[in-house]
Amino acid sequence: MIITTTFTVPGREIGEVIGIVRGNTIRAKHLGKDIVAGFRNLVGGELKEYTEMITEARDEAIQRMLEDAEKMNADAVVGVRMMTSQVATGAAEILVYGTAVRLKE
């Protein structure tokens, strides 16, 4: 499956636009990681616990989008975008979406 943020696939022609596909997940902070991150916030530096959490959430959301595209028998997803939003105190949603297409042979 080809995934791209562009609206075309280099060297290939889009034969059919199938529709919008998406994947999302909502993640909350883990109390233990939150405490460690809180200490790190006092002295400065990257909050690695949060970086790891968001990276895992982004990967999961992408995988869910791909599963959605596979159900539609898509060859590629173009115009992929990612959004993050806070949905509750300490919880964030990662949303990944794009357009499922079939490519010409």
Side-chain angles (χ1 to χ4, degrees):
M1 176 82 57
I2 298 169
I3 307 170
T4 179
T5 58
T6 62
F7 293 100
T8 60
V9 177
R12 303 290 301 271
E13 189 175 344
I14 294 174
E16 179 184 357
V17 173
I18 303 169
I20 296 172
V21 288
R22 65 171 177 76
N24 70 319
T25 186
I26 297 173
R27 295 287 177 102
K29 295 183 268 186
H30 179 275
L31 181 60
K33 289 184 178 184
D34 197 29
I35 292 170
V36 172
F39 287 132
R40 188 167 286 125
N41 195 33
L42 292 173
V43 296
E46 180 182 6
L47 302 177
K48 294 178 183 178
E49 295 77 20
Y50 292 161
T51 301
E52 180 181 296
M53 179 187 74
I54 292 296
T55 298
E56 289 172 2
R58 188 176 301 118
D59 291 344
E60 184 174 338
I62 290 169
Q63 185 59 42
R64 289 178 178 177
M65 180 191 67
L66 288 175
E67 290 168 3
D68 198 19
E70 287 170 359
K71 288 177 190 173
M72 297 177 162
N73 295 317
D75 298 319
V77 181
V78 297
V80 173
R81 300 292 181 261
M82 298 182 192
M83 295 177 49
T84 304
S85 61
Q86 182 175 345
V87 295
T89 302
E93 176 187 31
I94 305 291
L95 171 65
V96 180
Y97 62 95
T99 302
V101 299
R102 287 193 189 101
L103 302 172
K104 288 186 178 180
E105 291 300 320

